[in-house]
Amino acid sequence: KLLYKKALLDLSCFDTPMITKEDLERTKFYSSERERVVIRDEVQSFDEWVRSLHTKVIVEPLNESNLPRAAQLLNKTNQMNLSTRRMTERELHAWAQHEYHHVWTFRVVDKFGDAGLTGIVSIEINESLGTIVDFVLSCRVMGRRIEETMLIFVARATLQLGVKTLNAKYIPTSKNKVCLALWREHSDFDVDAKGESFKRILEEPGPVPDGIELVMKNT
């Protein structure tokens, strides 16, 4: 997983921000992120560090209350963004209303704080085939096995919806190579010859990463 690690290190997500009144919540995040870095330097391994964070990933279907933030995340996220699809709130809501479309949001909380709604996954189902349209995650929570947890959830959820095969197509931009690195190195998906299309025959998805609790919040 060297390519994904390098891609994460190349990001500028954790550069020191300008402190303004509007950035107060972001400033709190950077403060808690420094605490995570301190803990990471004290433990023996990455796995031990992830376990020490006691992370909870809370999944919720798209709804009226989380729609504004979901649309904002969809339109502002560049690095971990599979298709870089841009949609207004109205367009996203309308797309999600289709019988064979599903959209889930992901909120990340750990012992240092609540990162808020930081992830989105959408799928389109055609009989037993599921296609991941959007796979979006804020760089604020990348590199903590949230990505793998999201993929495990999608596999579980779509299996329950009758999906037998799960596909995903990476659409390249100048900024989303880190997303490609994740998908290429995720062993549960087969990669095509060009390395930009991914396929998985769904069986038992397996457990979420050790130290992460996955919670489904129904509406």
Side-chain angles (χ1 to χ4, degrees):
K1 300 185 183 300
L2 295 177
L3 292 177
Y4 187 51
K5 181 178 180 180
K6 180 183 184 302
L8 287 173
L9 292 173
D10 287 342
L11 295 178
S12 59
C13 304
F14 304 122
D15 291 349
T16 303
M18 293 178 60
I19 299 175
T20 66
K21 182 177 180 179
E22 291 76 16
D23 289 331
L24 286 178
E25 289 302 315
R26 183 177 295 181
T27 302
K28 290 180 183 178
F29 169 76
Y30 281 96
S31 177
S32 62
E33 183 60 26
R34 284 192 291 271
E35 295 181 77
R36 293 184 189 94
V37 171
V38 169
I39 295 296
R40 186 172 59 195
D41 292 339
E42 293 177 349
V43 298
Q44 299 298 313
S45 68
F46 174 74
D47 289 340
E48 185 181 350
W49 176 65
V50 171
R51 289 194 297 270
S52 74
L53 296 177
H54 303 295
T55 302
K56 182 181 292 186
V57 178
I58 304 167
V59 189
E60 186 176 25
L62 187 72
N63 57 55
E64 290 185 4
S65 63
N66 60 35
L67 175 61
R69 170 56 183 162
Q72 180 188 53
L73 189 65
L74 187 73
N75 288 296
K76 291 180 65 176
T77 304
N78 294 307
Q79 289 92 354
M80 184 58 72
N81 196 326
L82 183 68
S83 62
T84 317
R85 188 167 65 142
R86 308 306 194 190
M87 305 179 78
T88 65
E89 285 185 34
R90 179 177 294 183
E91 289 169 340
L92 178 59
H93 179 266
W95 190 90
Q97 296 306 300
H98 192 284
E99 180 181 1
Y100 300 112
H101 294 171
H102 298 267
V103 182
W104 296 282
T105 66
F106 296 79
R107 185 183 191 93
V108 177
V109 181
D110 68 15
K111 69 178 183 180
F112 292 110
D114 185 346
L117 196 165
T118 46
I120 306 167
V121 172
S122 71
I123 66 163
E124 183 173 11
I125 297 177
N126 183 4
E127 297 182 347
S128 63
L129 174 65
T131 300
I132 298 177
V133 180
D134 300 296
F135 185 90
V136 177
L137 184 66
S138 169
C139 61
R140 295 188 302 171
V141 295
M142 284 168 52
R144 293 193 238 159
R145 298 229 160 116
I146 309 302
E147 304 91 324
E148 292 127 295
T149 301
M150 291 168 65
L151 288 172
I152 289 169
F153 168 80
V154 173
R156 289 180 180 179
T158 52
L159 193 59
Q160 292 179 351
L161 292 168
V163 171
K164 304 298 183 184
T165 304
L166 195 55
N167 288 346
K169 172 68 176 177
Y170 166 77
I171 300 176
T173 71
S174 62
K175 296 182 178 180
N176 69 346
K177 290 181 180 179
V178 65
C179 189
L180 178 61
L182 168 73
W183 282 85
R184 282 182 174 174
E185 296 168 25
H186 194 277
S187 60
D188 289 335
F189 283 81
D190 295 324
V191 187
D192 72 347
K194 292 182 63 177
E196 296 184 353
S197 292
F198 306 88
K199 178 179 179 180
R200 179 179 178 183
I201 305 300
L202 291 182
E203 296 175 347
E204 178 55 43
V208 298
D210 195 17
I212 295 182
E213 180 184 359
L214 181 61
V215 179
M216 182 66 189
K217 182 178 179 182
N218 294 309
T219 56

